Amino acid sequence: IPDRQLTLSGLQEQEMNLVSIVGTLHSKLVEASVRESEIVSNVNIIQTPTFPVEPAFPTGWQVVLIMMLTGSLLGALNVVGRRLLHHQLDNAEVVSQLLNAPVLGSLAWLPDGSYRTSLGRLPEERTQAMAYETIATALRVRQEDGAQNLIGFTSLSKQGRRSALVAALARLLANCDHSVLVVDADFRNGSVLREFGMDSQAIGDFTELLINCPIPGERAESKSLVAYAKAASATLGSLHSYIEKVPDEKALYLMSSRHPHSASYEMASGKALASLLDSLKEEFDFVLVDMGSILGGPEPLMTARALDGFIALCGVETSKDDLRAARKLCDTHTLNLMGVIFKSPR
């Protein structure tokens, strides 16, 4: 027993030593780990964190200001873009530049209604009356200076009341002691009779002359279509049977085309029309020819070649491309564009 007690005491003392050694090693290991972390980690504090004490950007009023500036910028870009891409007419000066022709007058179209109703309102609209008188004066000056009295009227837009304007100018010229003949050469959609409020059956259709009369020059004794028409077939009758005086007007006459014709191009491009107009030019102070739109078909172009010149009607609804196309047609066919009448907004 004493020996075993001695052995137990030795083992217990050895255990305590080992526990002490383990504790020491553990503390050394922790200390080594701390030292290693100090060597590997290199943390530098750049800025001390702070909490926001004011509203962050953008604030409410800044948002409103940004929206206002953005809207103004977009509006300016829109105006510039529309200006650059704008194809409609703004004023008469632009028309004159694109067509390379003088603007004879700027006026609003006659209001809807008959010829007499429209003209009856002109004295009440003194500005409009003066505009029409200015255009009529320009025609009289050209007639006196260069004997240009065979004048056509065409439109460069779908809505223009061209025939109403021709009727108004014819009346003004007739009131100035001029003999005036209005020829409806719109073989597709003639409307001069309607503007004058006259019976379409009261006078003959002058296109019968163009269709049935031989061309002057085919017979040696025929010097003009007027002379040949009078000597031609009795079914045609006298040329004067195709000319009707407008009631209650001074020296104002009308030669109409009552119905649309399928052979409109042949009538417009034939020599008979040119000879007829040339003969009528000698009998009247002014021969105003109501044509269709030169942009709507070849017939007005052919008719314009037989005239001393023609006047184009356009307005704010006419595009710049149409004006350029009209100018190109005039240059291609060597047509005399005497001037432009501009439809200004009321």
Side-chain angles (χ1 to χ4, degrees), residues 25 150 231 236 239 337:
L25 292 176
L150 181 57
L236 294 176
L239 178 66
L337 179 57

Side-chain angles (χ1 to χ4, degrees), residues 10-64:
L11 292 174
Q12 290 178 344
E13 184 178 356
Q14 186 178 359
E15 179 185 5
M16 292 176 63
N17 292 334
L18 292 174
V19 170
S20 176
I21 292 171
V22 169
T24 303
L25 292 176
H26 182 69
S27 61
K28 294 294 184 181
L29 181 60
V30 172
E31 182 179 356
S33 299
V34 172
R35 290 180 178 178
E36 184 179 1
S37 65
E38 291 179 355
I39 296 173
V40 175
S41 301
N42 188 16
V43 179
N44 295 323
I45 299 177
I46 299 176
Q47 184 178 4
T48 303
T50 58
F51 295 98
V53 294
E54 296 180 354
F57 178 84
T59 60
W61 68 270
Q62 291 172 339
V63 171
V64 174

Side-chain angles (χ1 to χ4, degrees), residues 150 210 216 225 267-280 302-303 305-307:
L150 181 57
L210 306 180
L225 183 60
M267 289 187 292
S269 60
K271 297 180 180 179
L273 177 62
S275 299
L276 174 63
L277 295 177
D278 190 55
S279 300
L280 294 173
M302 299 297 102
T303 303
R305 297 173 64 178
L307 307 176

